[in-house]
């Protein structure tokens, strides 16, 4: 798979970001600027100078645009969505080795607002996935009551749940309980 470590890091931020949306998890996980600020620190997003309510609105809206790439029916449509995102953000690819990271490319313009920053970085990560022919790795969790997204980076592309420690286990527990119930019903009957 032609996916670099840097792209994997961006995809990880992408998944975390999309799963903050109410449509993914039922409640808004980025309700205010403080929550957005915590997200920026937690995800180690660099060159963010200050955050305003307008930044929060931009990031909240961006989630829908990024999520649309996951649900695009065709690769042509996915490519169109990615191109629009990245073009609107304005990118200036440049090499940097800030904070003792090795040399890597920043796609966002220096000190861009966070909405543009994330649109450029996460849009480019999606562009690399499309280019590598790996769009099917952009998945939605198969648990019936879950709408979280994930990127399946497993070798055999067999992952079905957003997080095996939560959704996968939860389903196993539910199946176990259902089996127990039917066993009890048989005994009682
Ligand atoms: Zn960097
Ligand atoms: Zn899930």
């Amino acid at each position: 798979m032609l996916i670099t470590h840097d792209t994997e890091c961006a995809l990880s931020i992408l998944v975390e970001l999309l799963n903050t949306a109410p449509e993914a998890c039922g409640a808004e996980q980025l309700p205010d600027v403080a929550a957005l600020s915590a997200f920026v620190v937690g995800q180690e997003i660099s060159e963010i100078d200050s955050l305003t309510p307008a930044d929060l609105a931009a990031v909240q809206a961006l989630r829908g645009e990024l999520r649309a790439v996951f649900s695009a029916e065709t690769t042509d449509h996915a490519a169109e969505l990615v191109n629009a995102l990245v073009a609107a953000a304005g990118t200036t690819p440049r090499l940097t080795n800030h904070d003792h990271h090795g040399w890597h490319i920043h796609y966002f313009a220096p000190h861009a607002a966070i909405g543009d920053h994330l649109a450029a970085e996460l849009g480019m990560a999606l562009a690399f996935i499309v280019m590598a022919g790996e769009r099917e790795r952009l998945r939605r969790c198969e648990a019936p009551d879950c709408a979280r997204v994930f990127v399946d980076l497993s070798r055999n592309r067999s992952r079905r749940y957003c997080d095996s420690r939560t959704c996968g286990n939860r389903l196993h527990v539910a199946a176990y309980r259902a089996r127990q119930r039917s066993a009890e019903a048989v005994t009682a009957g």
Side-chain angles (χ1 to χ4, degrees), residues 141 143 146 148 162 167:
C141 180
C146 182
R148 290 162 61 92
C162 59
C167 274

Side-chain angles (χ1 to χ4, degrees), residues 24 140-150 160-163 166-168 170:
R140 195 187 125 155
C141 180
E142 288 180 26
D145 55 349
C146 182
R148 290 162 61 92
V149 297
F150 64 95
R160 296 173 58 204
Y161 304 111
C162 59
D163 181 339
T166 54
C167 274
R170 207 156 46 79

Side-chain angles (χ1 to χ4, degrees), residues 6 47 92-98 102-108:
D6 290 337
E47 286 185 46
T92 54
R94 69 205 138 98
L95 281 159
T96 170
N97 63 351
H98 68 94
W103 287 102
H104 61 288
I105 294 176
H106 279 177
Y107 295 97
F108 61 92

Side-chain angles (χ1 to χ4, degrees), residues 36-97:
L36 179 59
S37 179
F39 182 84
V40 165
V41 172
Q43 298 297 319
E44 297 181 22
I45 299 168
S46 63
E47 286 185 46
I48 299 297
D49 303 326
S50 62
L51 293 168
T52 66
D55 289 321
L56 177 65
V59 171
Q60 287 172 338
L62 176 64
R63 292 182 306 203
E65 294 173 53
L66 291 164
R67 193 178 170 104
V69 180
F70 277 64
S71 46
E73 299 260 316
T74 64
T75 302
D76 279 5
H77 188 219
E80 247 173 61
L81 293 171
V82 168
N83 283 344
L85 261 172
V86 173
T91 56
T92 54
R94 69 205 138 98
L95 281 159
T96 170
N97 63 351

Side-chain angles (χ1 to χ4, degrees), residues 18-30 67 145-148:
L18 293 190
N19 289 338
T20 64
E23 66 174 311
C25 57
E28 176 59 79
Q29 304 291 309
L30 296 178
R67 193 178 170 104
D145 55 349
C146 182
R148 290 162 61 92

